[in-house]
Amino acid sequence: PGSVEEEEKRPLVGPSGAELMRGLREVEADRYDMALNNAILCRCSSDNNLRSYLAKLSKRNKKLAEEGKPTWPSPIDCCKPRLVREIQNHASAVLTLGSTALKALASNTSEKSMSAMRGFPLYLGVGSDSTRLLMMKEDAQPGEAALPLIATYHPAYVLRARRWTTVLRRDIAKFFRHVNDRLEWASPIVWTNPTLDQIKQAFDYFRLAKLPVAIDVETEGKDSTATRLRCIGFGTKDFAIVIPVLSIDHISTFWSDSDWAQIVDLINALTSDLDLTFVFQNGIFDKTVLERYDIVIRARVFDDIVAHNVGKWAEMPHNLDFLSSFYTDNQKHKWVHNPEGWKSDEELWRYNSGDVIVTAAIAPIIADECRQHDQVHVYKHDMRKQEICRSMTKIGMGVDET
């Protein structure tokens, strides 16, 4: 708690509370519609700098462990049993504000940073004496409650960094949609490891729908001039197809030479259709990889990351995790992001399909923002620069492709 909260013995009553109330009023809610609480109920040091205190505690505990003495628990651990009991008794959904609150509840994952979890519709698994983050409600164990959860930034942080104001308010609005089961996202259709006939059917659908088609690749490494292709995904917001190329075992392939040649022809026929637009998230990498496999994009191209970099929210992060949480109600699909940590090819393909679907879903929104702010000429200029950078990459001049 801050100094005002400690003085009044109530959470979020100072400037942070006022900022939270402004976000609640935008969705016609009030602080009395929810129970407010702190992950830690007391100030752990005179300057109330939890990060500094935890750093000192870690140093002290390391010394105590070396001496064979008992270590000291952290304030988060000390308050955890009380916090779990209060959630069990009073909560039907949870909105965490700030990294401390998230860390107090997310005991089952090492990926606990706000940038990784913020803004995604998750669930909090509440057991008899513990809590953990769940990707979906169905992931709950028997006897474990699954409460809707959204993690967002603490209002105090937003007061210091005003560019995050809209993010906080969008997250609050999404929280109430999550609680009321009104998330604006429908589960898409996904085909993985398709047959040749299914590839033809999917490509025919793209031609008939005439919607922007997103393309994304998954590779073994990060060097577009040398890495091997694992799979290629194509899709719209509602449908994606993932064509496998190389297994996660680095050896097995999925097509005969003649079948693969036919697939390349099918892809090139699709990507040469001038009635279609193909969408990338950082196309400088993907297009370079595809060209090494004789796949060339001849139709119009739109790059989400380039357009976002010149649009309304140019000062915000441009990675797909952030864009997904900012523009959509999609669940977090980047739960696993270790190229060597895939449990199966199917898991990799599902991950790829998630990238494709989000890339397609956000493209019209980002394009509209670019037009509304009269930045189309800047976007076109940056796309020309991207092609120059791709040419440099292909002749061995290193360019940062991320």
Side-chain angles (χ1 to χ4, degrees):
S3 57
V4 179
E5 282 80 8
E6 186 178 50
E7 182 180 337
E8 297 200 19
K9 308 302 180 187
R10 289 197 303 154
L12 292 164
V13 293
S16 296
E19 181 61 31
L20 176 63
M21 294 310 107
R22 285 190 282 270
L24 290 174
R25 282 196 294 270
E26 285 199 359
V27 292
E28 300 181 349
D30 190 86
R31 68 178 292 138
Y32 301 108
D33 295 328
M34 59 185 67
L36 301 177
N37 211 326
N38 286 96
I40 302 172
L41 285 183
C42 58
R43 294 162 70 87
C44 58
S45 61
S46 58
D47 62 356
N48 203 32
N49 189 327
L50 180 63
R51 182 174 298 179
S52 173
Y53 177 83
L54 291 177
K56 293 176 182 177
L57 179 64
S58 176
K59 187 175 181 180
R60 178 185 295 228
N61 280 341
K62 184 178 180 181
K63 184 176 181 180
L64 290 173
E66 290 173 351
E67 296 172 354
K69 297 178 182 179
T71 57
W72 291 15
S74 75
I76 294 175
D77 293 334
C78 290
C79 259
K80 181 69 177 283
R82 182 269 315 167
L83 183 61
V84 172
R85 286 196 303 271
E86 294 190 358
I87 289 175
Q88 289 171 335
N89 294 333
H90 304 294
S92 58
V94 177
L95 175 69
T96 64
L97 304 174
S99 59
T100 301
L102 180 61
K103 290 176 181 177
L105 300 177
S107 59
N108 64 309
T109 175
S110 60
E111 192 181 18
K112 294 181 287 190
S113 70
M114 288 305 302
S115 61
M117 296 297 181
R118 182 215 60 77
F120 287 102
L122 303 171
Y123 289 87
L124 182 68
V126 183
S128 58
D129 59 357
S130 63
T131 58
R132 65 192 185 105
L133 285 186
L134 306 176
M135 187 174 179
M136 295 183 293
K137 191 173 185 178
E138 293 74 19
D139 293 335
Q141 300 291 332
E144 184 180 43
L147 309 182
L149 179 142
I150 294 277
T152 190
Y153 293 110
H154 196 284
Y157 174 74
V158 172
L159 289 172
R160 297 192 301 271
R162 271 302 183 187
R163 68 176 180 149
W164 296 102
T165 301
T166 299
V167 174
L168 173 63
R169 294 183 184 180
R170 287 191 182 193
D171 288 347
I172 291 172
K174 187 184 296 186
F175 171 69
F176 281 94
R177 292 197 298 274
H178 192 19
V179 170
N180 295 314
D181 198 24
R182 293 180 179 175
L183 291 172
E184 297 168 359
W185 186 266
S187 297
I189 298 170
V190 177
W191 290 357
T192 58
N193 197 18
T195 64
L196 275 171
D197 283 342
Q198 286 177 318
I199 294 172
K200 294 174 184 177
Q201 291 173 28
F203 287 6
D204 286 342
Y205 165 74
F206 295 144
R207 290 189 181 93
L208 289 172
K210 295 191 183 302
L211 295 171
V213 179
I215 301 178
D216 185 65
V217 304
E218 304 300 335
T219 60
E220 286 187 317
K222 297 181 179 180
D223 181 357
S224 62
T225 64
T227 188
R228 293 194 295 175
L229 182 63
R230 282 181 165 171
C231 63
I232 318 169
F234 299 83
T236 63
K237 178 183 176 180
D238 303 309
F239 169 68
I241 181 170
V242 180
I243 302 172
V245 180
L246 178 69
S247 173
I248 60 171
D249 65 12
H250 307 285
I251 299 171
S252 304
T253 57
F254 297 87
W255 309 97
S256 66
D257 289 345
S258 60
D259 283 348
W260 177 246
Q262 190 173 348
I263 290 171
V264 170
D265 287 342
L266 289 171
I267 294 174
N268 279 324
L270 179 72
T271 56
S272 298
D273 190 330
L274 301 182
D275 290 332
L276 296 177
T277 298
F278 293 90
V279 184
F280 290 88
Q281 170 77 6
N282 192 25
I284 187 173
F285 180 87
D286 295 38
K287 288 187 287 183
T288 303
V289 172
L290 291 173
E291 285 179 6
R292 290 179 39 243
Y293 285 78
D294 298 323
I295 297 171
V296 180
I297 315 299
R298 295 184 174 86
R300 289 188 302 273
V301 168
F302 181 82
D303 196 310
D304 285 347
I305 198 169
V306 176
H308 190 257
N309 200 42
V310 301
K312 180 179 180 180
W313 305 105
E315 78 281 7
M316 306 305 290
H318 309 298
N319 62 78
L320 198 57
D321 243 5
F322 174 80
L323 299 179
S324 176
S325 65
F326 188 69
Y327 289 111
T328 80
D329 286 352
N330 185 27
Q331 290 181 314
K332 182 177 176 64
H333 74 280
K334 288 181 176 287
W335 199 260
V336 178
H337 200 189
N338 177 5
E340 301 304 324
W342 304 112
K343 297 175 183 177
S344 66
D345 287 308
E346 180 67 27
E347 184 179 62
L348 172 64
W349 301 334
R350 290 283 168 178
Y351 174 91
N352 176 257
S353 71
D355 278 1
V356 167
I357 289 161
V358 171
T359 299
I362 64 178
I365 306 171
I366 295 175
D368 283 344
E369 289 178 348
C370 196
R371 284 191 291 267
Q372 289 167 9
H373 287 76
D374 195 24
Q375 294 295 301
V376 174
H377 64 291
V378 180
Y379 166 77
K380 291 180 178 179
H381 177 71
D382 284 356
M383 288 296 288
R384 288 193 292 270
K385 288 194 295 185
Q386 185 188 79
E387 286 305 307
I388 293 172
C389 291
R390 282 209 321 119
S391 299
M392 293 168 62
T393 299
K394 289 188 285 187
I395 62 174
M397 299 176 66
V399 175
D400 184 357
E401 297 175 312
T402 60

